[in-house]
Amino acid sequence: SNGMMTIKSKIPIEQREELLEIDQGQWAGRRRDEIYTQDVLAQIEADPWEFKAPGGESQKDVEIRLMNFMETLLTKHKRSDKAVVIGLFSHGMALRCLLRGILKSDPAMTWKLQTTNCGITEIWHDPRVGWRVIRFNQYPDNSLPHSKL
């Protein structure tokens, strides 16, 4: 699901296209072993930020989409007297692209961040210093499935 809600309000959950996963274009629904050939993997490695599936989105496209959405939320919910808490529910690569934008990290690092279903990532925006990542991919009980491998 891709939605947002405001905490402590009676505003219903909204579904927003801006929170959708990276669009895989013509590759959607196809098996990874058919798509990710050695040639394709070399292209991704050569330029991970700009690479996109035919008819799909690049990491750059997704990052711009999500950063614009976050800036719109900040403007819409800006209050000088109280902090505003907004819950977002999105997808793994979309979240990783957003975090790359917030951290301004090397685009090659985006693929190295691992997210799991239902992991909680918390980010804050401070008008004085910008975005901060408070926690990443945390489960409520602080355990992660892959830590037990």
Side-chain angles (χ1 to χ4, degrees), residues 11-30:
I11 297 174
I13 293 176
E14 297 177 41
Q15 288 195 1
R16 302 295 299 260
E17 287 189 15
E18 296 94 334
L19 299 173
L20 288 173
E21 182 61 289
I22 190 169
D23 183 349
Q24 293 293 335
Q26 296 172 15
W27 291 354
R30 293 186 53 200

Side-chain angles (χ1 to χ4, degrees), residues 74-91:
L74 285 177
T75 302
K76 180 179 178 181
H77 296 287
K78 185 176 179 181
R79 294 177 59 183
S80 59
D81 59 335
K82 292 182 182 176
V84 175
V85 178
I86 299 171
L88 298 176
F89 307 87
S90 191
H91 298 272

Side-chain angles (χ1 to χ4, degrees), residues 85-128:
V85 178
I86 299 171
L88 298 176
F89 307 87
S90 191
H91 298 272
M93 182 51 88
L95 175 62
R96 293 191 302 261
C97 290
L98 174 64
L99 290 174
R100 199 234 63 91
I102 287 170
L103 297 171
K104 306 216 183 318
S105 66
D106 182 326
M109 296 301 293
T110 307
W111 293 101
K112 294 180 181 181
L113 293 171
Q114 294 298 307
T115 54
T116 52
N117 291 336
C118 301
I120 298 170
T121 297
E122 183 178 0
I123 58 174
W124 289 48
H125 185 270
D126 180 329
R128 296 169 294 151

Side-chain angles (χ1 to χ4, degrees), residues 12 14 31 34 38 43 46 48 54 64 85 91 97 99 113 130 141 145 147:
E14 297 177 41
R31 292 173 36 138
E34 294 172 358
Q38 292 300 323
Q43 290 175 46
I64 290 168
V85 178
H91 298 272
C97 290
L99 290 174
L113 293 171
D141 66 356
S147 66

